[in-house]
Amino acid sequence: MSIEETLERSGLGRIPGYWDRRYVKNLESLSKPLYAVKAERDVWMTLRDGTRVCADVFRPDADGRFPALLSWSPYGKAIQSMKRGPQPPESLVFDHSLEAGDIDFFVSRGYVFVIPDPRGIGQSEGEFYGIYNPQEHEDAYDVVEWMAASDWCDGGVGMVGYSYFGIVQMLVAAKQPPSLKCIMPLSFTDEYYQHGYYGGVGNTYMSMYWELCPANKPVPWSVKMYLEAELKRRMAERARDPDIALNSYFQKILTTWPPTYHSFYLDYLLHPEEGPFWAQRSVRHVLDKVKVPVFLNSAWSPNGRWVTPLLRTYNSDALAVPKRVNVEDYGELELPYRSMNEECLRWYDLWLKGVDTGLMEEPPIKLNILGSGYRYEREWPLARTSWKKLYLRSFSRLRWEPDAEADITPDAFVHNPPNISSEVQSLTYTSEPLTRPMEFTGPIALHLFASIDAEDANFIVKVHELYPDDSRHYMPCFGALKASHPLVPEQSSPWMPVHDHSKKVPVKPGEVREYHIEINPSGKVFMPGHRIQLEIKAMDPNPAHKTSWTGKVASMGPIPSAASICYRIYRDAARQSHLVMPHIPGTPAENWVQSFE
């Protein structure tokens, strides 16, 4: 079938390069853009406790009942339907909260698209208790059932959207609203503690939610967890933490009462270890409650925290439903989010309209291998992985063989706290140029023999690709570890360490220990002449902080230690610090997607 015939049969403007002509079928039955869009704004509904929330409803301008898609986040409904063209990140008006999905695309194809303001957001009544709070899971349940009972809905509801809109879908599905038939999270995490405290290291990444969420009555969830006296005690205690006491932004949050200033980041600061606060926001604790088909999507993203949760969730026996996984390269991300429209349509058509275009006949995992294209896999990590060790060596070298000598003097660097220096001290280790293409797809881990002259410290590690001209390409491979968070050996593997982030075990200053550091997975082919570089440091601010006079906290990244700390890195025959790299020696030809083009 020619590409022109395929386009005509599908009613689409393009055929994605990740569609495989061996599996895609019945495109003539795919929903076509037959309808004009009718917008009904500020539609009010009442939740189970009497709170009223406001929604925008977009539906086909035609008689009849249609399946409906719920797009849920606290980012505000009004902005999601703005008409100003797609915005790339370099645009001065780029807004990462425009992630509800492509309203016109789905409504024109016979879906109702509903975007509410959750309680305490925008025009809606009630109090906003912060992102992914347990109250909103129940509220979304009520909205799903309100949609299903509306005279424009045929009774079937799905959920749609990217990032926050994607993560919340699994939490709502775990509540089992009867009318929810399928979900398709575009970007997802199963463990929200690790999203905010990756490896136990705090990050100012979470501070952005203050500007993203237009709350009309923000209240920290901690108000519901603790009595007033206990909450004030916890705020005062956290404010005295040396790393927190150094930062005036944090002090403003921790010394305001009533605690409505930056309410979610207050919750974040008050819970630096894993525990009930984070468990309520993490679907991994209730995966067995999810009973609808799930299509998990994410990308090899430089900020990490996405692919491991995605594949971990897919691998879980607790998620016993029809499920699929897609990992792509978001590349030139534009918002509003549209890059997966066609695949979303196949998914929703299957579970909400009964239109089978062969999606469930494809192998369950689809990966965009950077530099090579899309292919299918059936497990993760890949069964054919050859785990390779890259050893840290003296003179900043990474080599495939360990050093033969013991007791070699360690490398060292000193972290200076951010109130006396903005310079980031680090160590780098670089491989020799590759002599042939090498694919590394899968989890990565750093086994690091090191000592620190403090009871705790941050380890920040990155894996880069160096081009022949020595320019650096940052792979989506970032790792972090709070030194005091202990390893859980019985749950760990050489390529996937697991730590207990619910407690701190102080480090003995000067003691040489082996630290096992998880690094975000890779999915990339390195070409001949390119090199692999490991970077180890204690803080990782955005370089933009040097020229910005305002908003410094947003550029801080991992929260730096307030102490001067000397790091010593050991790499000899007795203490073989090394990277574990997932080398893929070859791939069967049939695994690669055979596109229509």
Side-chain angles (χ1 to χ4, degrees):
M1 184 189 308
S2 70
I3 191 70
E4 291 79 12
E5 292 173 313
T6 304
L7 283 169
E8 183 177 356
R9 291 178 62 186
S10 68
L12 299 172
R14 71 179 185 117
I15 299 299
Y18 53 77
W19 276 10
D20 193 314
R21 63 179 184 268
R22 294 171 296 176
Y23 299 105
V24 175
K25 63 182 183 181
N26 299 333
L27 287 181
E28 67 279 0
S29 300
L30 202 63
S31 292
K32 307 294 191 298
L34 303 177
Y35 304 97
V37 178
K38 181 178 181 179
E40 296 181 348
R41 301 185 186 276
D42 300 338
V43 178
W44 290 87
M45 68 193 80
T46 302
L47 304 175
R48 69 184 73 176
D49 66 353
T51 302
R52 295 194 314 144
V53 297
C54 190
D56 287 346
V57 177
F58 303 89
R59 56 190 181 91
D61 191 6
D63 295 332
R65 296 175 181 266
F66 303 89
L69 301 174
L70 172 60
S71 190
W72 182 283
S73 89
Y75 294 166
K77 66 180 179 61
I79 65 171
Q80 303 300 331
S81 56
M82 291 176 64
K83 302 294 186 184
R84 59 181 186 174
Q87 300 297 305
E90 62 268 23
S91 166
L92 289 175
V93 293
F94 179 83
D95 182 349
H96 220 307
S97 56
L98 292 171
E99 301 169 333
D102 193 338
I103 298 167
D104 291 351
F105 180 88
F106 292 104
V107 176
S108 68
R109 288 168 170 79
Y111 289 90
V112 181
F113 206 107
V114 177
I115 311 175
D117 277 340
R119 73 166 67 211
I121 294 292
Q123 300 181 58
S124 292
E125 299 174 350
E127 298 173 329
F128 175 57
Y129 294 113
I131 61 173
Y132 307 109
N133 72 83
Q135 180 65 58
E136 77 170 356
H137 312 162
E138 296 182 0
D139 292 349
Y141 176 115
D142 292 353
V143 174
V144 167
E145 295 308 306
W146 173 86
M147 292 166 60
S150 298
D151 58 10
W152 35 255
C153 184
D154 66 4
V157 178
M159 293 188 73
V160 65
Y162 166 67
S163 192
Y164 193 113
F165 296 85
I167 294 170
V168 77
Q169 292 182 35
M170 291 283 279
L171 295 166
V172 176
K175 292 294 182 181
Q176 299 180 9
S179 302
L180 185 64
K181 304 303 181 186
C182 68
I183 59 175
M184 189 173 182
L186 301 172
S187 285
F188 165 79
T189 183
D190 65 336
E191 172 51 79
Y192 213 69
Y193 173 78
Q194 283 274 42
H195 197 69
Y197 283 88
Y198 185 47
V201 177
N203 198 305
T204 58
Y205 165 80
M206 290 291 188
S207 67
M208 70 177 180
Y209 286 104
W210 183 249
E211 67 181 64
L212 295 181
C213 304
N216 58 52
K217 195 174 182 181
V219 177
W221 187 258
S222 297
V223 167
K224 298 174 75 69
M225 295 181 68
Y226 311 113
L227 296 175
E228 181 177 316
E230 172 65 7
L231 179 55
K232 287 182 175 179
R233 185 194 68 78
R234 287 174 175 265
M235 291 172 65
E237 180 181 357
R238 188 68 166 130
R240 291 191 295 269
D241 181 306
D243 297 351
I244 302 303
L246 198 64
N247 192 302
S248 59
Y249 294 96
F250 300 158
Q251 292 300 310
K252 284 191 287 188
I253 296 169
L254 290 164
T255 57
T256 297
W257 193 270
T260 55
Y261 171 63
H262 214 325
S263 56
F264 177 74
Y265 205 67
L266 170 62
D267 282 333
Y268 174 87
L269 290 172
L270 291 179
H271 299 95
E273 280 87 43
E274 198 166 14
F277 172 82
W278 297 103
Q280 293 169 329
R281 290 155 175 79
S282 301
V283 76
R284 76 178 180 90
H285 301 287
V286 289
L287 271 181
D288 61 322
K289 305 296 185 184
V290 177
K291 301 298 183 183
V292 298
V294 178
F295 195 158
L296 298 162
N297 295 262
S298 197
W300 313 107
S301 173
N303 68 1
R305 310 179 186 91
W306 298 113
V307 176
T308 292
L310 196 81
L311 276 304
R312 181 170 59 216
T313 299
Y314 172 80
N315 282 340
S316 175
D317 293 335
L319 187 63
V321 299
K323 52 190 175 182
R324 286 291 183 271
V325 167
N326 178 71
V327 181
E328 61 172 332
D329 173 21
Y330 284 157
E332 297 298 323
L333 175 66
E334 292 182 339
L335 295 175
Y337 187 79
R338 297 187 172 102
S339 72
M340 289 286 290
N341 276 358
E342 296 81 10
E343 197 81 332
C344 291
L345 184 63
R346 292 180 72 198
W347 183 253
Y348 297 129
D349 267 12
L350 174 61
W351 299 108
L352 293 173
K353 295 186 178 182
V355 176
D356 181 7
T357 56
L359 190 56
M360 298 305 291
E361 297 173 20
E362 299 177 8
I365 300 173
K366 187 185 292 182
L367 307 176
N368 183 356
I369 306 302
L370 304 181
S372 294
Y374 284 93
R375 72 163 185 251
Y376 297 108
E377 300 292 349
R378 297 184 180 277
E379 75 288 317
W380 183 270
L382 309 189
R384 63 186 183 280
T385 303
S386 174
W387 300 101
K388 299 287 189 182
K389 293 182 179 181
L390 265 174
Y391 294 91
L392 283 61
R393 302 281 294 271
S394 57
F395 296 96
S396 301
R397 297 172 296 174
L398 270 181
R399 295 294 183 263
W400 300 108
E401 306 82 21
D403 206 307
E405 297 185 28
D407 299 322
I408 299 175
T409 302
D411 297 322
F413 71 94
V414 175
H415 161 71
N416 290 313
N419 63 317
I420 67 169
S421 176
S422 61
E423 296 303 314
V424 179
Q425 304 297 319
S426 66
L427 293 171
T428 58
Y429 298 87
T430 307
S431 75
E432 294 180 316
L434 300 180
T435 58
R436 57 187 175 86
M438 294 187 73
E439 179 187 329
F440 297 100
T441 295
I444 300 174
L446 174 62
H447 295 253
L448 189 69
F449 287 89
S451 68
I452 55 176
D453 61 353
E455 292 187 344
D456 209 350
N458 298 335
F459 285 95
I460 309 295
V461 299
K462 291 184 175 182
V463 177
H464 303 272
E465 178 182 9
L466 291 188
Y467 284 67
D469 63 1
D470 284 339
S471 62
R472 177 189 276 182
H473 173 70
Y474 173 33
M475 295 167 57
C477 299
F478 172 92
L481 180 65
K482 180 68 72 173
S484 62
H485 289 201
L487 184 74
V488 184
E490 62 273 17
Q491 297 180 25
S492 299
S493 65
W495 53 85
M496 182 55 67
V498 176
H499 294 82
D500 183 353
H501 295 295
S502 67
K503 62 183 179 182
K504 290 184 177 182
V505 179
V507 175
K508 182 179 179 181
E511 180 182 55
V512 180
R513 298 174 55 178
E514 183 179 6
Y515 294 95
H516 303 244
I517 304 175
E518 175 193 343
I519 300 176
N520 299 133
S522 168
K524 184 174 178 59
V525 174
F526 286 70
M527 299 308 292
H530 292 213
R531 292 174 290 163
I532 301 169
Q533 185 176 80
L534 170 69
E535 182 180 17
I536 304 172
K537 48 191 174 181
M539 61 180 186
D540 186 38
N542 187 321
H545 81 90
K546 292 188 176 183
T547 56
S548 172
W549 285 42
T550 60
K552 289 283 186 178
V553 71
S555 296
M556 182 175 294
I559 299 172
S561 173
S564 294
I565 302 174
C566 180
Y567 292 70
R568 289 183 169 84
I569 307 301
Y570 295 80
R571 61 303 151 276
D572 55 33
R575 292 161 293 199
Q576 297 180 357
S577 295
H578 63 275
L579 275 172
V580 177
M581 297 291 290
H583 179 233
I584 307 302
T587 296
E590 63 268 20
N591 285 37
W592 295 97
V593 167
Q594 297 181 20
S595 72
F596 284 81
E597 298 178 355

